[in-house]
Each structure stands twice: as structure tokens, then as C-alpha cells.
Amino acid sequence: MVERDAVVVGAGFAGLYMLHKLRGLGLTCLVLEAGSGVGGTWFWNRYPGARCDVESFSYSYSFSEEIEQEWNWSHRYAMQPEILAYANFVADRLDLRRDISFGTRVTAAQYDEHQQHWLVDTGGEGSFRARFLIMATGCLSVPKAPDLPGLAHFRGDVLHTADWPREGYDFAGKHVGLIGTGSSGVQAIPIIARQAGHLTVFQRTPNFSIPAWNARLPESQRRQMKKDYRTLRTRARNSYAGDFADEYYLSILEMTPEEREKAFEERWREGGFNYQYAFRDLMDNSAANELAADFVRRKIRAIVRDEATAEKLCPLDHPIGTKRLCVDSEYYETYNLPNVALVDIKSDPITGFSVDALETRSTRYPLDTLVLATGFDAMTGALTAIDIRGRNRISLKDSWRDGAGAYLGLAVTGFPNMFVITGPGSPSVLANVILAIEQHVEWLGELLQYAMVHGISEIEAYAAAQESWMEDVRDSADRTLYPQANSWYVGANVPGKPRVFMPYVNGFQVYEAACREVASAGYRGFRLARATEVAA
Ligand code: N01
């Protein structure tokens, strides 16, 4: 049995920084990672076109000025290989690998109330004991295999974007089918279309996508960004989305039609997420939202030459932004290529597969390869995949049966000394997730420091604190348009998952202030017990 002060699960961006932070506190720590390398989601998601849709300078650690200055981002939005190289650079620069056990998948964890420590099992790769268990398992890390009738009959290659072969895949000359038009599909489709003999996209629901206008960063801009880093980071910390961009200052409804059209056009030309975040009434006013949505639909119709295809690509079933916006590079333009076809599987559903074809109600599509860009069991999937048992052997899965919850999105009642980085109830996926991770790691570092100084051996969220936090998470979401969509934010993409809006919608800056306030009130809402009190 290996013993440490803390076991961290996952060596993505959260796990790496958590390890560094714990070392700084003088705690011993081991990170258990299922993959053979660091990087988390960026280790597994190697599909063609995979890149970050938050700008590279923003989507990077802010805690080390040395790392900021030493690393050079090549593009406005970094591609997956570059982000993975960055994660490796950080791991080497901070000498993190010696405390990471690769190829070690955590299968179970049990809290021992008498000893106040966690026993962590890996199903053959060893057992571990630690006072603290920190789940850095990521919000989007468990791929969702879609329930496709008869898929087992298909003898062609089946690839999932979130579990892509490390050696890559040669699409040349192949007839390829792709299911899923969320961020992953929207990024992969233009690249696969250029490589494959023919690409058929099977679309269930169209998404809104904004151009990335990705480009190489000129040296002068890189130099300037590095000079301005502290100001930019401060701006991000004080913002809704944890990003540098200007946000929330325009009201769609207060503008004249001409001003509005100009503002939409400017945001479209600027590209990326600021199309959503620049307008303060877009996410809570249906009329404002519809105007922004209509502008994007008009863009789609102007780009896509075939009228019927353009109509199929126009989202009509959800307000813009209520499903996560996609950010693309020539996504809509791809449908003008002669080797690309779009099939609406809502009106012509998939009925089955044969050894070499996908069949819809009306048509047989011969395929060599099927790409699944069908998403994730988001926010909770990586946690409920592990048999986590807290006080009285209660399982996390059971305690989340009616919906996931965590106090501040960080700590779950009944699971003392376990913490979740960017868990349900925190801004996580609605913010720049690297900053969301940093804020959690830093806040948790302070809590553990406080525990050490005060001789506290057990930390647990009170049930009332968690309930009231999750009530606020839900009520805040209900004041917006977010819950109107069948999105993975509410777990709607996983059959049987309770419909609960999981992220915190009030903004990164509001959330950070709430966390600070909890800390300065002596960690209000947490039961902090000294060893003697626990034993009693
Ligand atoms: O997954 P998704 P994703 N039959 O869930 C369809 C992040 N990300 O991997 O909408 C047919 O968004 C499903 O259809 P529908 C980002 O946060 C970030 O693309 O359920 N279709 C949908 O079209 C993103 O939001 C980056 O009707 C089925 C698609 O599959 C999140 O990951 C890059 C189906 C799934 O879309 C998830 O994105 C990539 C079925 N049975 C991803 N099941 C960055 O750049 C599902 N679909 C940072």
C-alpha cells in the first residue's frame, strides 16, 4: 500500500497544477493517470482539426510568469498537438513526472471514517492511502458511445473523436460517415472532408457556429501579449468568462436595427465566443437572443450555396448559446465541396448497419469508416465511472441519483476530504476552464494550508450548505435561457441522466468572490474537525 498525504486522480491541466501546489505546501502527493502521458482531454482528443476554441494566450496557466514568458504560442487558437506539447513542457519544467503514475486507472475509492483517509484502488495497478482525495478527472473526459441500432454489424473502422488512435488515421480515398455536429464534429468535418474520398455528415441537431478566423500570431503581437500579461490576467479574473475579451457591455434590444447589425457583424468578424459574451441580454432575453440567432442563420444561408443544405444547417430548436457555441474554421463552407453531403437523421433516422453501410429509413450509405463525434458524459461521467464510497459506504453515484451537486462545485456532502476540481456547481465549462482550474486549485491549497495550521483532519461540506448552493445554481440558471436546450449542460445527451443544470451561470468573477467570502468566514458551510473531535 502506497501512502501519501494526497492522491490526485488525473494528470490533465487540473492534476498538474494541483500536484505543483501540494508540493509547495509541503504535502506528499501522487497523481494517478490512466493515460500514458499528461494532458488529460488533450491527450485523448487527437482527431483531425482538434484545437482549443479559447484563445491560446488566455487558455494557458497564469500562475507562473516564467512559464508565461518561456512558452510561445504559434496561433490565435492552438491546435491539439501544441496544447499537448505545452502540458508536457509544464510537466517537465516543474519536474512533475516523478510523482505521476501513468497507465493507472482508478476503479474505486473508499473513505475510512475511523482513520480519516481514503483507500484508492486501481484494479491491479496498486492500492493507495491518502488523507485527501482530489478528483482532477475533467468535465469532458468520458466519451459517450451513442446507442446506434445494429452498429456491431458494421465491419468498417469506427473511430470516436475523444479516443482517437495515437498513430492518426488515413482517410485518403475513403467513404466516411460522421455522426455528431457539436464542437468536435464541427472542427473535424472540414479537415476530414479535405482528406476523404467522400464525407457524409449525419446530423441530428444543427448547432450555431462562429468563425474562429484562426491565424498565426505575428511575433510583434506575441511580444506585446507577453508584456501585457499581468493586465490581461487581471481582466480575465474580473470577468464573466475568465477571459481577456471585452464582454457584457452591449444590449441587443437597446440598439437600433442598424447599430445591432453592425455590432453582430463586428463580433462575427472578430470571431469566437465573444459573439455570445459581448451582449448582456443575449442569454436572458428571448427576443434579444432570437435577433442574434437570426443573424447567424442569415450568415449560414449566405455561405452555403445549396438552399436545402443551408436550411438543414440552420438551428431552430434552441436559443443561440444555450448549447455550447461552436467555433469553426470553414465549417459551413465545407458543405459547398462536391464530395460532402449532409443527411438530416431527424427526418430520416438511422435504422441500422450492414457490414459495409449505414442505413437510414430511406437510403443505404456505403461506408469504409464511421467517425463518432457524439460527445461526453459531461461533468459527472468521470466521477460516477469510479466506485467512490464515502461515509457509511454511501456511493457517489447513489447520492447523485436525482442530480449531481457539490458545495461550491468543489466538495460533496458525505465524502469528507474529497475535492472535485471544476465539479458540478462551479463555472467550469462556462468559463475559460484553465482559469477555473487555477482558481479551484489555489482556493483548495489555501483550505489545506488552513487545515494544517489548525490541526484539522477532516473537512466536509454540510448538507444544508450544499443544498442551498445547488439551489442557487439552479435558480440562477432558470433566470437565463440556458435550461431551454437539450444540452449536455443538463445531461440531456445521456439517456436516464437526471436533468439538472450543472454549471454555475453567474460568472467566474461572481463565483470567485463567493469562494473568497466563504474562506474569510472561516470556511463557512464546511465542517472542519480536529483529529480528536473526529475520534470522539
Ligand atoms: O459533443 P457534443 P462534442 N445519434 O455533445 C450528436 C468541448 N469541446 O464532443 O445535439 C445521432 O457537443 C449530438 O446530437 P444532438 C466543448 O465544451 C471543446 O462535439 O444530441 N447524433 C451532437 O450533435 C463541447 O461543447 C473543444 O441531437 C448523436 C453531437 O453528437 C464539448 O466538448 C473542442 C447521437 C455531440 O455533440 C462536447 O463537444 C471539442 C446519436 N445517438 C469539444 N448522440 C475546444 O475547442 C450524440 N449525437 C476546447
Side-chain angles (χ1 to χ4, degrees), residues 296-413:
V296 176
R297 288 189 214 109
R298 282 186 279 127
K299 283 289 184 192
I300 297 170
R301 291 182 186 115
I303 296 168
V304 179
R305 285 197 287 273
D306 178 69
E307 252 178 60
T309 304
E311 284 316 307
K312 280 187 226 163
L313 287 166
C314 285
L316 295 166
D317 75 325
H318 63 279
I320 187 169
T322 55
K323 280 186 161 189
R324 190 175 179 278
L325 269 190
C326 300
V327 179
D328 71 275
S329 294
E330 305 202 334
Y331 173 62
Y332 294 118
E333 290 81 349
T334 299
Y335 292 95
N336 292 332
L337 298 178
N339 66 331
V340 177
L342 179 68
V343 174
D344 172 12
I345 54 169
K346 240 185 198 146
S347 61
D348 189 14
I350 296 172
T351 50
F353 288 81
S354 60
V355 288
D356 60 355
L358 178 156
E359 286 157 12
T360 65
R361 196 153 55 199
S362 74
T363 311
R364 180 174 185 276
Y365 296 91
L367 297 177
D368 301 304
T369 309
L370 179 67
V371 176
L372 302 175
T374 44
F376 302 86
D377 183 353
M379 306 203 68
T380 56
L383 295 160
T384 53
I386 301 171
D387 185 15
I388 301 177
R389 294 191 177 258
R391 196 178 284 296
N392 302 320
R393 288 196 58 77
I394 181 180
S395 88
L396 185 67
K397 213 172 169 172
D398 281 347
S399 69
W400 282 357
R401 196 185 297 118
D402 297 326
Y407 181 40
L408 302 177
L410 263 166
V412 186
T413 306

Side-chain angles (χ1 to χ4, degrees), residues 225-278:
M225 294 289 273
K226 284 191 178 186
K227 248 195 221 152
D228 294 344
Y229 244 140
R230 297 281 57 80
T231 314
L232 294 168
R233 299 294 196 188
T234 305
R235 191 199 290 177
R237 286 232 170 212
N238 290 311
S239 73
Y240 177 91
D243 205 348
F244 304 160
D246 291 330
E247 55 185 23
Y248 277 117
Y249 59 99
L250 295 169
S251 159
I252 293 172
L253 293 183
E254 283 171 13
M255 284 185 272
T256 64
E258 294 72 28
E259 287 167 343
R260 199 180 288 142
E261 195 69 6
K262 186 163 169 275
F264 288 150
E265 185 64 37
E266 277 169 9
R267 297 298 157 223
W268 179 271
R269 294 269 139 236
E270 181 187 332
F273 273 101
N274 215 24
Y275 189 85
Q276 175 174 342
Y277 289 138

